[in-house]
Amino acid sequence: MSPHRSASPVEHLVIVDGHLHDVVDRVRDLDLAGTTDVVLDTIGSTTVDPFVVASAVAQATDRVRITVAVPVTEWHPYLIARRLAAVDKIADGRLRWWPVDADATRRAESADIVAALLTSWPADVVLNDRASGIQVDTDRVTRVMVQGNHFTVDSPLDVPRGPQGVVPHLDPFDGFGVADPPATATSGTR
């Protein structure tokens, strides 16, 4: 198993296609009831940003681990990594992501590039040293250069990593995570 994958199954799949406050209320209730894992699925919606939903849910919950489904054909790995780093901070390290794509090669390439970007900032590179005026040790930020079959990246991430460093991802097609989403699904707003 890759170190950035998560092998634990999810308890609830929440379909996000409606009012954000309804989804937040639903996941907050699941959190209070002791649910340990939810997947926020915005696939198919052209108006819902999966990372905005994950941020709102993270702010409203305390314990539940949040997996955000991300269609890799619509989101470049650089943007995914940038958003994951930000939302992981809001979620205090409770975030995972699910790269969604029928093409296993593109799905894996996206996940690998996201992991590389999230490690481009070492954990201790942000110094915030007021005395010297040095905020970031930029010499230690690593450039990520990938010319893949589906994506190209040639830069470090432009934001520091979140608390987990590499945000774990689910890949049910490789036997990880959601074994049978429809059988375990609990819908939110539809």
Side-chain angles (χ1 to χ4, degrees), residues 43 68 101 130 147 190:
I43 308 303
V68 60
D101 192 324
R130 290 181 186 211
Q147 175 65 50
R190 187 83 184 143

Side-chain angles (χ1 to χ4, degrees), residues 145-169:
M145 295 175 27
V146 176
Q147 175 65 50
N149 292 323
H150 304 282
F151 305 104
T152 300
V153 173
D154 186 7
S155 110
L157 199 56
D158 65 347
V159 296
R161 62 199 260 159
Q164 297 182 87
V166 176
V167 175
H169 78 275

Side-chain angles (χ1 to χ4, degrees), residues 123-143:
D124 59 349
V125 75
V126 178
L127 304 175
N128 291 329
D129 185 344
R130 290 181 186 211
S132 69
I134 298 174
Q135 301 302 314
V136 176
D137 183 355
T138 56
D139 292 337
R140 296 186 50 229
V141 176
T142 314
R143 186 169 148 187

Side-chain angles (χ1 to χ4, degrees), residues 3-23:
H4 55 275
R5 284 196 186 144
S6 177
S8 63
V10 298
E11 292 182 16
H12 291 278
L13 175 68
V14 179
I15 307 297
V16 180
D17 187 17
H19 298 287
L20 182 59
H21 63 84
D22 291 337
V23 173

Side-chain angles (χ1 to χ4, degrees), residues 24-102:
V24 170
D25 289 347
R26 174 74 180 126
V27 179
R28 184 184 306 118
D29 290 345
L30 291 169
D31 185 44
L32 292 171
T35 298
T36 58
D37 293 275
V38 295
V39 172
L40 302 173
D41 182 358
T42 63
I43 308 303
S45 173
T46 58
T47 59
V48 179
D49 180 326
F51 298 101
V52 169
V53 175
S55 295
V57 166
Q59 290 177 330
T61 59
D62 297 315
R63 294 173 299 279
V64 68
R65 188 167 41 199
I66 302 158
T67 301
V68 60
V70 181
V72 300
T73 56
E74 297 173 26
W75 289 84
H76 189 277
Y78 189 89
L79 294 175
I80 295 170
R82 194 169 197 285
R83 295 279 182 98
L84 288 175
V87 178
D88 195 38
K89 292 171 190 160
I90 295 167
D92 292 326
R94 294 179 292 130
L95 186 66
R96 298 184 304 182
W97 74 291
W98 177 2
V100 178
D101 192 324

Side-chain angles (χ1 to χ4, degrees), residues 102-128:
D103 183 329
T105 308
R106 184 170 42 226
R107 192 172 61 244
E109 184 176 309
S110 177
D112 289 343
I113 293 171
V114 166
L117 286 163
L118 289 171
T119 59
S120 66
W121 285 62
D124 59 349
V125 75
V126 178
L127 304 175
N128 291 329

